[in-house]
Amino acid sequence: MKKKYLGIVAMLAAVMLVFAACGSDSSSADKANGSTKGDKEVSGSLTAVGSTALQPLVEAASKEFTNTNPKAQINVQGGGSGTGLTQVQQGAVEIGNSDVFAEEKDGVDASKLVDHRVAVVGMAPVVNKDVGVKNITKQQLIDIFTGKTTNWKDVGGKDEKITIINRAEGSGTRATFEKWGLDGKTPIKAQEQDSSGTVRKIVSETPGAISYLAFSYIDASVVGLSLDGVEPTEDKVATNDWKIWSYEHMYTNGEPKGLTKTFLKYMTSDEVQNNIVPQLGYQSIKSMKVERDSSGKLTDVK
């Protein structure tokens, strides 16, 4: 009887070890994928401030994150990339959201900040559907925005005056377009708009209009121009054949810890990158075949 009892105890112990191992494997797999589901110990609060272009993605991801981590609180605010970089540098917030590299902002000591890239945004010049142009050269684009070319007939389109719609100074979208679309040239003074939706509406309703938009805002109401025969697509962005694109950055002052570290890990998880990122019109960082630094140097993604 005693041997039988000991045998039953040994069997139960073995079963408990199997269940424990399964639970451990599951937890390890979740952590490896960047998931925080089931992690009941995640708690605390953090504030992310900055880029309005990145704000919708961070808000959507934070909502999903806090749904599965009810003890955590994440505050997301806009204010622009400059504000985000300045406040995270000062230690006023845990995360500074930015459309541009910290090295590109005056007054920001990039050496003290740690860059976490969470998405990619492709951008393209867009025109009114009636201008009669779908492809121009890079130099023609520069000539249009610097005022050297003022009629669409000079680039193969209708005999129609070109009307430029610009983004406001300080806009991350504008900075990216000027750097990679205009090779750093300064555009002429023109009407400026803060909202991508407003830009699209004005271009679609104004004869001869041209501006630029993130891929996610380009629809059938406007025409996205190809440059030198290269179409503005995510596949072309991934290889840098289409050069007008930027990272969406989430900066921390030093290496992140605690809730900040966990949330940033979640931002690059498959759950966010494969679902929330494309649903909101961004491009996953995991789709990139190359990396680009603040100086424009390219390296292959390993």
Side-chain angles (χ1 to χ4, degrees):
M1 178 66 72
K2 184 175 182 180
K3 288 183 179 180
K4 184 176 180 180
Y5 174 76
L6 290 174
I8 292 172
V9 171
M11 185 181 297
L12 288 173
V15 170
M16 290 176 68
L17 283 172
V18 170
F19 278 113
C22 290
S24 176
D25 289 344
S26 175
S27 177
S28 297
D30 283 346
K31 290 179 180 179
N33 290 327
S35 174
T36 60
K37 289 183 177 180
D39 190 348
K40 303 300 183 183
E41 301 305 314
V42 177
S43 60
S45 64
L46 69 83
T47 299
V49 172
S51 164
T52 54
L54 179 53
Q55 188 174 353
L57 175 59
V58 182
E59 286 177 339
S62 65
K63 182 177 180 181
E64 292 300 318
F65 183 90
T66 54
N67 280 343
T68 54
N69 299 279
K71 293 182 180 180
Q73 182 179 356
I74 299 173
N75 305 301
V76 184
Q77 302 171 21
S81 298
T83 298
L85 290 169
T86 299
Q87 290 201 13
V88 74
Q89 177 179 259
Q90 294 172 345
V93 298
E94 287 73 24
I95 297 173
N97 296 331
S98 177
D99 303 327
V100 296
F101 284 94
E103 290 86 346
E104 298 177 275
K105 280 291 183 182
D106 293 336
V108 175
D109 186 354
S111 66
K112 295 182 179 180
L113 303 181
V114 178
D115 185 8
H116 310 271
R117 303 173 191 177
V118 297
V120 171
V121 175
M123 304 167 195
V126 294
V127 298
N128 182 274
K129 292 169 65 175
D130 295 331
V131 302
V133 172
K134 294 184 178 180
N135 176 70
I136 59 176
T137 67
K138 179 82 164 292
Q139 188 57 54
Q140 286 172 333
L141 180 69
I142 294 171
D143 289 346
I144 287 171
F145 273 88
T146 56
K148 293 180 181 178
T149 300
T150 59
N151 194 298
W152 285 110
K153 69 178 180 180
D154 296 328
V155 292
K158 293 173 62 176
D159 183 3
E160 188 169 57
K161 179 185 175 183
I162 295 174
T163 299
I164 296 173
I165 311 297
N166 221 332
R167 298 299 297 273
E169 288 191 37
S171 159
T173 301
R174 176 169 174 168
T176 298
F177 181 75
E178 289 181 2
K179 182 173 184 176
W180 299 109
L182 305 183
D183 291 344
K185 303 294 190 303
T186 301
I188 60 172
K189 292 292 183 180
Q191 178 184 167
E192 295 183 356
Q193 294 292 335
D194 287 324
S195 165
S196 294
T198 301
V199 167
R200 181 177 59 195
K201 186 173 188 295
I202 292 174
V203 171
S204 70
E205 296 175 352
T206 305
I210 183 171
S211 189
Y212 44 91
L213 291 168
F215 287 178
S216 57
Y217 282 94
I218 300 175
D219 62 15
S221 69
V222 294
V223 174
L225 292 183
S226 296
L227 293 179
D228 295 311
V230 179
E231 294 182 3
T233 66
E234 290 189 357
D235 287 345
K236 297 299 184 183
V237 166
T239 58
N240 198 52
D241 288 316
W242 183 267
K243 296 176 174 56
I244 311 174
W245 59 272
S246 68
Y247 291 107
E248 294 293 358
H249 310 261
M250 297 179 74
Y251 279 97
T252 55
N253 194 334
E255 292 295 336
K257 299 178 181 179
L259 175 61
T260 303
K261 180 178 180 179
T262 303
F263 180 61
L264 287 170
K265 183 178 179 181
Y266 176 69
M267 289 296 302
T268 58
S269 70
D270 289 344
E271 185 174 343
V272 173
Q273 294 295 313
N274 295 342
N275 297 304
I276 301 175
V277 165
Q279 285 172 8
L280 293 181
Y282 301 86
Q283 184 168 339
S284 171
I285 54 171
K286 297 184 179 183
S287 72
M288 298 300 291
K289 304 294 190 297
V290 296
E291 290 183 342
R292 189 167 72 188
D293 66 16
S294 59
S295 68
K297 181 182 178 182
L298 292 173
T299 55
D300 292 334
V301 173
K302 297 180 180 179

